[in-house]
Amino acid sequence: MTAVLEVEALSCGYGPVPVLRDVTFTVPAGTVTAVLGANGAGKTTLLRTLSGLLRPSGGRIRFAGEDLRGVRVEHLVRRGLAHVPEGRGVVTELTVAENLRLGGLWRRDRVDARRAQDEVYELFPPLAHRRDHAGHQLSGGERQMLAIGRALIARPRLLLLDEPSLGLAPKVTAQIMALLRRLRDERGLTVLLVEQNVRTALWVADQGIVMALGRVVTAAPAARLRDDDQLRHAYLGF
Amino acid sequence: MQRFWFLTFDGLAAGAVYAAFALALVLIWRAARVVNFAQGAMAVATAYVGYAVASATGSYWLGLAAAVLSGLALGALVERVLMRFAGAGGPLNQVIVALGLVLVIQAVLGMIFGNGYRPAPAPFDTDALTIGGVAALSPYDIWVLGAALTVVALLAVLFTRTPVGLRMRAAAFAPEVSRLLGVSVGRMLTLGWALAAGVGALAGMLVVPTGLGLHSHAMDLVFVVAFTAAVVGGLDSPVGAVVGGLLVGLILSYVTGYLGPDTTPLAVLVLLLAVLLARPGGLFSAARARHV
Amino acid sequence: MTATPTETTPAAPSPLRRLLPGAPPGGGPRGSTLLRHLAVAVLAGTLVVLVTNQLAPYQNLQVARVCAFLCVTAGHTVLVGLNGQLSLGHGALMATGAYTVALTQRGLDERAVGGWWTLPASLLAAVAVTALGGLVVGLAAARLRGPYLAGVTLAVATLVPAVTTIFTGVFNGEQGLRFPAATPPAALGAYFQPERWLAWIALAAALLTMLLLANLVRSRFGRSLRAVRDDEVAARLAGIPVAGTQVLAFVVSAGCAGLGGGVYAVLTATVAPGKFPLDLSLFLLMAIVIGGLGSLAGAVWGALLLVALQDLPGLLTEHLSLSAGLAQRLEGNLALAVFGLILIVVMLAAPGGLQGGLRAVGARLRGAVRRRPAPGGRSPDR
């Protein structure tokens, strides 16, 4: 299986404070990889470094075989890397339709962009009903759908999702996770998922990466993390 | 009663200019969270360019086009070369840099063109037409109203219906998320400044013929009034800027008309203080929805 | 009966205490900062007095102008640099002080009231009236932040001079007012240079202002100022009355500006709205930024800069033989353009201004000295 993302010895910090230390892992194509760990482990920083919002102090990032060093944030979405940030990033002053259009503006193929938009409405009926509502009128779950839908319009190869379940009711979280599974199964979408809700994450993931204090402490297939009690106790605390 | 109508029309015409100018200020505020204190000086500079071209070519309209184009260029230049770097030191920095720019622009204009007032003829008749015995607008006033409102309408269409307008709004509301979605936020910022300066240039060309003439300080008071108008309408609201401009134009016209021209500066100050103390958000302050 | 230890609530510290310099970090007698400042003031004062002895009348006048501006820039830099309130209206405050002195002196003169005390009384009046104006603006400004504050003070600077044209009876409009000049007292002798006397007056005002502000900056109030500037919420949580601090800062700054404006008027014994245009307010800001925001030494640089700005154009056109037309155009504008550029460059490259730059150089020099190993061969501890 080809790797969509290869991270090698990645380090990053805020000024003199290191947050990521020597992080190495790969994300195979067509899989869901969950990044787990306690608060402050560096999970969000990892995603922000991958999408270029933070500049790494060392290490390499290879996306679909190409080095991402020096690539500007705005250009990553063209290469197929979509990042739904922590807090979802719905532009609340714009409507649902405008948010979605925003996701596809960079695309030259306007017809396909339009088609992708219709697909998103099909995927998320609640959004179709609230097309002209402003972002701040949506519920948490709807915003999550909008954020993911907006990212999907770019037809990404890799989707970075930062804590999608945050602030959502369990039922809605389950829907979102089921959706991710569907996207992986039906479209071969690769997902790198940061989650605090470990159980949920392991249910949908193929592999899990556990981080602590900025380092990767273990990377294992999700099944093992679920079933191996010792492993689970040691790294996930339950 | 006649006087009231005359003052009303006069106030609306003046208000249209304030509205355009205030809109320029609001544009930059929404895009960059900074009040462009150099807007007035930039507008004067472009007005000089405009009238220089007009007298060289003999066509006012060429001059107007030149003014607006140089405004676009000046705005982009100021953003790329100065403001982009000024933000790093804190919010006060950008204001101080803008003020430095004011000093430089006014000094350079003084050096090139001298300290006297230059003639700035209007393209239309400035005498008021009488409609049914009532002194109403002059042809020039009609041109001013038309031009200002057209620009406002064009900007509205630009922002709400075009892809670039969507990008600019997104870049202003949520710069980080926009970058993740492929929007070149830096470029949008430059574009925002360019547009604002272009609008300011137009407003400058509209207002200069109504005063004593072209002078490096010709827009000082206009800036203060436009700032007041933007504050009245709410710095965040383009609609507020337009309404605020018209409102302030009317109020000032009545005050000047009924209480005497010397009272205008004081009236502006009182109005500004009153609005800031009573409703600092302005009349149209929308609830600021943070993006989630 | 044994004395039981009772809980006594300590007497609430007198409000004046907050204005006195606090104890230096390492401990030490409470008044030492005050004494130190006094010593510096006396030294500086003596030095300048001696210098004025050697100077020609015009040069003494320049010294006087520097001192007058120093009163303003010192207060201004404390307000903007230490308290974070961007005031673009200090020119108008100067004008207020100037006009107060003019009116008071004229009033006293009309009533044939004389004596050595009239000038200090007029200056005191200037301080009081301008401080009152500062109170009004400060109260309005306390609720405002950032661009709103700047905009309001800009409006004040633009519009207050227009007051002189509204009430022309009192202020005599564009022509301004004249009032009796301050002449050297008889005790100094009949041939005492009047400009030297003016320089002494200005010097006294400047020293007083610097002394007051230096102590204020070191006091608890000074720390409150900075706390409010840096993090308003945290300051409020720490119990600092934010609005009160802001207003008081404005009042103090205004009082100093009023004193400076009053002294400035005394130097020419005239006052006119044309002397206090909007540009003056911008120049004042420019001066304290280039000198170094928040630094009293920077205020000195700023005052020097302002006088240079006034005098350079004349000097330039004198020494360069330019056509009259060109000279007139360059006059004022060239120096202005240069200083405006310097302002921009300083803001972009060295926000600490001149004083910040000097401080950095000084720190580097001190570091170099400390790093040299002692004669015994041991390098000093870091």
Side-chain angles (χ1 to χ4, degrees), chain B residues 35 111-112 115 217 265 276-277, chain C residues 143 147 152 159 279 329 333:
Chain B
V35 173
M111 283 197 281
I112 301 177
N115 295 319
H217 287 265
L276 283 177
L277 289 175
Chain C
R143 288 180 56 176
V152 166
L159 307 169
D279 273 349
R329 284 206 219 152
N333 288 325

Side-chain angles (χ1 to χ4, degrees), chain A residues 48 51-53 72-75 77-78 81-85 87-94 97-99 101-106 136 143 150-151, chain B residues 33 80 159-164 166-187 287-292:
Chain A
R48 287 169 65 88
S51 67
L53 292 173
R72 285 202 289 181
V73 176
E74 309 64 277
H75 294 160
V77 74
R78 288 166 210 258
L81 198 157
H83 179 181
V84 178
R88 293 179 260 281
V90 164
V91 186
T92 49
E93 294 93 338
L94 300 177
E98 285 173 329
N99 267 283
R101 252 175 60 213
L102 191 62
L105 275 184
W106 62 270
H136 60 81
R143 292 192 206 194
R150 189 179 60 187
Chain B
R33 278 286 171 269
R80 293 238 90 182
F159 275 100
T160 52
R161 288 191 201 284
T162 62
V164 76
L166 182 57
R167 283 201 196 93
M168 285 177 71
R169 280 189 294 148
F173 295 139
E176 207 175 71
V177 166
S178 301
R179 293 183 77 196
L180 291 176
L181 295 171
V183 174
S184 182
V185 167
R187 216 177 285 170
R288 290 239 289 129
R290 278 170 42 248
H291 73 273
V292 174

Side-chain angles (χ1 to χ4, degrees), chain A residues 116-176:
Chain A
Q117 208 172 315
D118 294 331
E119 282 172 23
V120 168
Y121 283 133
E122 263 176 71
L123 210 53
F124 301 112
L127 290 184
H129 292 312
R130 314 194 69 176
R131 233 175 264 245
D132 293 317
H133 289 216
H136 60 81
Q137 295 175 294
L138 299 179
S139 71
E142 286 163 344
R143 292 192 206 194
Q144 189 59 280
M145 289 189 232
L146 178 56
I148 295 180
R150 189 179 60 187
L152 290 178
I153 293 203
R155 299 216 192 275
R157 299 170 71 162
L158 175 62
L159 180 63
L160 304 178
L161 264 181
D162 200 338
E163 306 228 23
S165 74
L166 197 63
L168 296 185
K171 200 170 93 173
V172 183
T173 304
Q175 285 175 330
I176 303 275

